[in-house]
Amino acid sequence: MTEISVEDRIELARAVVAIMDEWGVAAGDQLAILGFPEDTPPRKLRLYRDETPLPDDTGILQRVEHVIHIADALRTTYPVSRNMRSMWMHRPVRRLRSRTPVSIMVEDGLDGIIRVRSHLDCSYMWDATGSSAAGCR
């Protein structure tokens, strides 16, 4: 990953928090999805809505990238309804072993985030596997 400026990390922080707010993800779960330590207080998210840049941490920035791509895939899948995007994130999905996408992302960490992205974005899965998009919708 290339080095990201402070200004870009501020914009990424605002964007990723806004995305997860739109999905209705609780503050503690947002921190878990982003890979912050478990003892990080949920009120810390307020800072990222303002002028605080995300930490210059490869793990966190990698998760942010995946979350943004998940949001893009949901906008493509549900171009008219923001409510459907949020509902999809909180409903059990049969192809995800009847778990909700949010619970997968929170409980399974980066692997879960990638699993959700792969389910939504067949081109990402194709690139990741190098051959097929097995398991796509």
Side-chain angles (χ1 to χ4, degrees):
M1 208 171 221
T2 61
E3 199 163 311
I4 299 175
S5 72
V6 171
E7 294 81 18
D8 288 342
R9 287 187 287 121
I10 290 170
E11 289 305 313
L12 283 173
R14 286 181 183 151
V16 76
V17 171
I19 287 166
M20 290 193 285
D21 283 346
E22 182 180 303
W23 292 343
V25 177
D29 289 344
Q30 289 185 32
L31 291 168
I33 289 169
L34 294 175
F36 280 86
E38 286 185 31
D39 61 346
T40 304
R43 67 181 177 274
K44 183 154 180 120
L45 277 178
R46 183 176 46 85
L47 300 173
Y48 297 116
R49 288 183 178 92
D50 298 328
E51 294 291 325
T52 302
L54 286 169
D56 192 13
D57 177 281
T58 304
I60 290 173
L61 296 174
Q62 183 180 25
R63 289 165 179 252
V64 167
E65 179 184 355
H66 287 297
V67 169
I68 289 171
H69 283 282
I70 290 168
D72 287 343
L74 283 171
R75 275 190 290 276
T76 301
T77 304
Y78 303 107
V80 178
S81 176
R82 287 182 174 198
N83 290 336
M84 282 302 296
R85 297 175 208 153
S86 176
M87 287 173 44
W88 188 86
M89 292 298 292
H90 293 278
R91 282 193 177 160
V93 176
R94 186 171 40 92
R95 288 201 147 169
L96 296 174
R97 296 189 176 142
S98 295
R99 294 174 64 197
T100 69
V102 169
S103 69
I104 291 170
M105 293 167 59
V106 169
E107 296 165 12
D108 299 350
L110 182 58
D111 289 341
I113 295 167
I114 291 171
R115 191 173 319 122
V116 171
R117 180 178 178 187
S118 296
H119 175 76
L120 285 167
D121 184 353
C122 290
S123 64
Y124 174 75
M125 182 182 284
W126 185 278
D127 288 344
T129 63
S131 61
S132 71
C136 280
R137 295 177 260 141

mmCIF file of all heavy atoms in Angstrom, residues 7 10-11 18 23-24 29 38 47 51 53 57-58 67 92 95-96 106 108 112-113 116 132:
data_model
loop_
_atom_site.group_PDB
_atom_site.id
_atom_site.type_symbol
_atom_site.label_atom_id
_atom_site.label_comp_id
_atom_site.label_asym_id
_atom_site.label_seq_id
_atom_site.Cartn_x
_atom_site.Cartn_y
_atom_site.Cartn_z
ATOM 1 N N GLU A 7 -4.387 14.476 4.937
ATOM 2 C CA GLU A 7 -5.656 14.985 4.397
ATOM 3 C C GLU A 7 -6.498 13.843 3.830
ATOM 4 O O GLU A 7 -7.716 13.808 4.033
ATOM 5 C CB GLU A 7 -5.403 16.046 3.315
ATOM 6 C CG GLU A 7 -4.768 17.325 3.814
ATOM 7 C CD GLU A 7 -3.241 17.213 3.994
ATOM 8 O OE1 GLU A 7 -2.614 16.278 3.429
ATOM 9 O OE2 GLU A 7 -2.680 18.050 4.715
ATOM 10 N N ILE A 10 -7.990 11.862 6.613
ATOM 11 C CA ILE A 10 -9.140 12.568 7.196
ATOM 12 C C ILE A 10 -10.384 12.293 6.356
ATOM 13 O O ILE A 10 -11.454 11.969 6.879
ATOM 14 C CB ILE A 10 -8.876 14.089 7.306
ATOM 15 C CG1 ILE A 10 -7.831 14.368 8.387
ATOM 16 C CG2 ILE A 10 -10.173 14.853 7.591
ATOM 17 C CD1 ILE A 10 -7.324 15.807 8.414
ATOM 18 N N GLU A 11 -10.255 12.412 5.036
ATOM 19 C CA GLU A 11 -11.386 12.165 4.135
ATOM 20 C C GLU A 11 -11.846 10.701 4.199
ATOM 21 O O GLU A 11 -13.043 10.417 4.189
ATOM 22 C CB GLU A 11 -11.040 12.562 2.704
ATOM 23 C CG GLU A 11 -10.927 14.053 2.503
ATOM 24 C CD GLU A 11 -12.176 14.812 2.935
ATOM 25 O OE1 GLU A 11 -13.294 14.397 2.572
ATOM 26 O OE2 GLU A 11 -12.021 15.808 3.656
ATOM 27 N N ALA A 18 -19.231 7.488 7.743
ATOM 28 C CA ALA A 18 -20.537 7.820 7.148
ATOM 29 C C ALA A 18 -21.172 6.587 6.503
ATOM 30 O O ALA A 18 -22.383 6.370 6.626
ATOM 31 C CB ALA A 18 -20.381 8.936 6.119
ATOM 32 N N TRP A 23 -25.330 2.351 7.128
ATOM 33 C CA TRP A 23 -25.720 0.947 7.262
ATOM 34 C C TRP A 23 -26.349 0.649 8.621
ATOM 35 O O TRP A 23 -26.885 -0.427 8.831
ATOM 36 C CB TRP A 23 -24.516 0.035 7.095
ATOM 37 C CG TRP A 23 -23.921 -0.006 5.731
ATOM 38 C CD1 TRP A 23 -24.481 0.404 4.550
ATOM 39 C CD2 TRP A 23 -22.618 -0.496 5.402
ATOM 40 N NE1 TRP A 23 -23.606 0.200 3.512
ATOM 41 C CE2 TRP A 23 -22.458 -0.355 4.005
ATOM 42 C CE3 TRP A 23 -21.576 -1.030 6.137
ATOM 43 C CZ2 TRP A 23 -21.295 -0.738 3.348
ATOM 44 C CZ3 TRP A 23 -20.414 -1.408 5.489
ATOM 45 C CH2 TRP A 23 -20.286 -1.270 4.102
ATOM 46 N N GLY A 24 -26.239 1.584 9.566
ATOM 47 C CA GLY A 24 -26.792 1.353 10.894
ATOM 48 C C GLY A 24 -25.918 0.464 11.763
ATOM 49 O O GLY A 24 -26.411 -0.240 12.644
ATOM 50 N N ASP A 29 -19.138 -1.842 16.928
ATOM 51 C CA ASP A 29 -18.949 -2.731 15.783
ATOM 52 C C ASP A 29 -18.141 -2.046 14.675
ATOM 53 O O ASP A 29 -17.355 -2.685 13.982
ATOM 54 C CB ASP A 29 -20.291 -3.218 15.240
ATOM 55 C CG ASP A 29 -20.973 -4.200 16.179
ATOM 56 O OD1 ASP A 29 -20.298 -4.734 17.095
ATOM 57 O OD2 ASP A 29 -22.180 -4.445 16.001
ATOM 58 N N GLU A 38 -9.640 -3.714 20.982
ATOM 59 C CA GLU A 38 -10.926 -3.937 21.660
ATOM 60 C C GLU A 38 -11.225 -2.909 22.739
ATOM 61 O O GLU A 38 -12.381 -2.642 23.023
ATOM 62 C CB GLU A 38 -10.970 -5.340 22.258
ATOM 63 C CG GLU A 38 -11.150 -6.412 21.222
ATOM 64 C CD GLU A 38 -11.308 -7.790 21.843
ATOM 65 O OE1 GLU A 38 -11.845 -7.895 22.967
ATOM 66 O OE2 GLU A 38 -10.894 -8.757 21.204
ATOM 67 N N LEU A 47 -14.388 11.608 16.795
ATOM 68 C CA LEU A 47 -13.204 12.314 16.291
ATOM 69 C C LEU A 47 -13.029 12.123 14.793
ATOM 70 O O LEU A 47 -12.614 13.039 14.077
ATOM 71 C CB LEU A 47 -11.945 11.821 17.022
ATOM 72 C CG LEU A 47 -11.911 12.000 18.532
ATOM 73 C CD1 LEU A 47 -10.686 11.310 19.113
ATOM 74 C CD2 LEU A 47 -11.947 13.474 18.893
ATOM 75 N N GLU A 51 -12.132 16.181 12.225
ATOM 76 C CA GLU A 51 -10.862 16.461 11.545
ATOM 77 C C GLU A 51 -9.732 15.498 11.913
ATOM 78 O O GLU A 51 -8.577 15.786 11.642
ATOM 79 C CB GLU A 51 -10.409 17.893 11.867
ATOM 80 C CG GLU A 51 -11.325 18.958 11.312
ATOM 81 C CD GLU A 51 -11.296 19.047 9.801
ATOM 82 O OE1 GLU A 51 -10.235 18.846 9.193
ATOM 83 O OE2 GLU A 51 -12.357 19.323 9.219
ATOM 84 N N PRO A 53 -7.478 12.314 11.407
ATOM 85 C CA PRO A 53 -7.173 11.321 10.364
ATOM 86 C C PRO A 53 -7.161 9.912 10.945
ATOM 87 O O PRO A 53 -6.903 9.718 12.135
ATOM 88 C CB PRO A 53 -5.767 11.722 9.893
ATOM 89 C CG PRO A 53 -5.161 12.401 11.076
ATOM 90 C CD PRO A 53 -6.299 13.082 11.798
ATOM 91 N N ASP A 57 -2.003 3.125 9.647
ATOM 92 C CA ASP A 57 -1.851 1.708 9.967
ATOM 93 C C ASP A 57 -2.318 0.897 8.765
ATOM 94 O O ASP A 57 -3.472 1.024 8.343
ATOM 95 C CB ASP A 57 -2.696 1.388 11.207
ATOM 96 C CG ASP A 57 -2.676 -0.066 11.584
ATOM 97 O OD1 ASP A 57 -3.412 -0.850 10.921
ATOM 98 O OD2 ASP A 57 -1.962 -0.430 12.529
ATOM 99 N N THR A 58 -1.444 0.078 8.232
ATOM 100 C CA THR A 58 -1.756 -0.685 7.026
ATOM 101 C C THR A 58 -3.002 -1.545 7.203
ATOM 102 O O THR A 58 -3.837 -1.626 6.304
ATOM 103 C CB THR A 58 -0.555 -1.575 6.634
ATOM 104 O OG1 THR A 58 0.585 -0.740 6.487
ATOM 105 C CG2 THR A 58 -0.813 -2.312 5.340
ATOM 106 N N VAL A 67 -14.200 -1.873 2.933
ATOM 107 C CA VAL A 67 -15.516 -1.327 3.294
ATOM 108 C C VAL A 67 -16.014 -0.379 2.204
ATOM 109 O O VAL A 67 -17.189 -0.419 1.815
ATOM 110 C CB VAL A 67 -15.471 -0.626 4.673
ATOM 111 C CG1 VAL A 67 -16.749 0.167 4.931
ATOM 112 C CG2 VAL A 67 -15.256 -1.661 5.784
ATOM 113 N N PRO A 92 -29.754 -12.058 7.464
ATOM 114 C CA PRO A 92 -28.985 -13.272 7.167
ATOM 115 C C PRO A 92 -28.986 -13.537 5.659
ATOM 116 O O PRO A 92 -30.006 -13.387 4.992
ATOM 117 C CB PRO A 92 -29.741 -14.375 7.905
ATOM 118 C CG PRO A 92 -30.529 -13.663 8.959
ATOM 119 C CD PRO A 92 -30.863 -12.317 8.384
ATOM 120 N N ARG A 95 -26.117 -17.503 1.242
ATOM 121 C CA ARG A 95 -24.796 -17.847 0.710
ATOM 122 C C ARG A 95 -23.653 -17.499 1.662
ATOM 123 O O ARG A 95 -22.508 -17.850 1.413
ATOM 124 C CB ARG A 95 -24.566 -17.158 -0.622
ATOM 125 C CG ARG A 95 -25.410 -17.786 -1.701
ATOM 126 C CD ARG A 95 -24.821 -17.478 -3.002
ATOM 127 N NE ARG A 95 -25.056 -18.598 -3.894
ATOM 128 C CZ ARG A 95 -24.847 -18.548 -5.159
ATOM 129 N NH1 ARG A 95 -24.373 -17.451 -5.695
ATOM 130 N NH2 ARG A 95 -25.093 -19.584 -5.912
ATOM 131 N N LEU A 96 -23.971 -16.809 2.730
ATOM 132 C CA LEU A 96 -22.980 -16.506 3.762
ATOM 133 C C LEU A 96 -23.291 -17.321 5.022
ATOM 134 O O LEU A 96 -23.102 -16.857 6.138
ATOM 135 C CB LEU A 96 -22.960 -15.002 4.063
ATOM 136 C CG LEU A 96 -22.533 -14.100 2.907
ATOM 137 C CD1 LEU A 96 -22.686 -12.626 3.277
ATOM 138 C CD2 LEU A 96 -21.107 -14.395 2.476
ATOM 139 N N VAL A 106 -17.685 -8.169 11.766
ATOM 140 C CA VAL A 106 -17.278 -7.907 13.143
ATOM 141 C C VAL A 106 -16.569 -9.124 13.736
ATOM 142 O O VAL A 106 -15.493 -9.011 14.316
ATOM 143 C CB VAL A 106 -18.500 -7.520 14.013
ATOM 144 C CG1 VAL A 106 -18.147 -7.503 15.490
ATOM 145 C CG2 VAL A 106 -19.063 -6.174 13.574
ATOM 146 N N ASP A 108 -15.419 -12.041 12.241
ATOM 147 C CA ASP A 108 -14.371 -12.745 11.494
ATOM 148 C C ASP A 108 -13.245 -11.828 11.027
ATOM 149 O O ASP A 108 -12.336 -12.279 10.331
ATOM 150 C CB ASP A 108 -14.980 -13.476 10.295
ATOM 151 C CG ASP A 108 -16.004 -14.519 10.702
ATOM 152 O OD1 ASP A 108 -16.114 -14.823 11.906
ATOM 153 O OD2 ASP A 108 -16.710 -15.027 9.815
ATOM 154 N N GLY A 112 -13.561 -11.949 7.208
ATOM 155 C CA GLY A 112 -15.003 -11.759 7.055
ATOM 156 C C GLY A 112 -15.332 -10.596 6.136
ATOM 157 O O GLY A 112 -16.254 -10.666 5.322
ATOM 158 N N ILE A 113 -14.571 -9.524 6.263
ATOM 159 C CA ILE A 113 -14.783 -8.358 5.395
ATOM 160 C C ILE A 113 -14.537 -8.760 3.939
ATOM 161 O O ILE A 113 -15.322 -8.418 3.051
ATOM 162 C CB ILE A 113 -13.865 -7.194 5.829
ATOM 163 C CG1 ILE A 113 -14.242 -6.714 7.228
ATOM 164 C CG2 ILE A 113 -13.937 -6.046 4.829
ATOM 165 C CD1 ILE A 113 -13.215 -5.793 7.872
ATOM 166 N N VAL A 116 -17.458 -10.864 2.632
ATOM 167 C CA VAL A 116 -18.617 -10.048 2.261
ATOM 168 C C VAL A 116 -18.351 -9.336 0.936
ATOM 169 O O VAL A 116 -19.207 -9.332 0.041
ATOM 170 C CB VAL A 116 -18.970 -9.039 3.385
ATOM 171 C CG1 VAL A 116 -20.022 -8.048 2.911
ATOM 172 C CG2 VAL A 116 -19.457 -9.781 4.630
ATOM 173 N N SER A 132 -11.970 -18.063 -11.251
ATOM 174 C CA SER A 132 -13.419 -18.158 -11.362
ATOM 175 C C SER A 132 -14.097 -17.358 -10.265
ATOM 176 O O SER A 132 -13.494 -17.021 -9.256
ATOM 177 C CB SER A 132 -13.871 -19.617 -11.249
ATOM 178 O OG SER A 132 -13.714 -20.073 -9.920
#
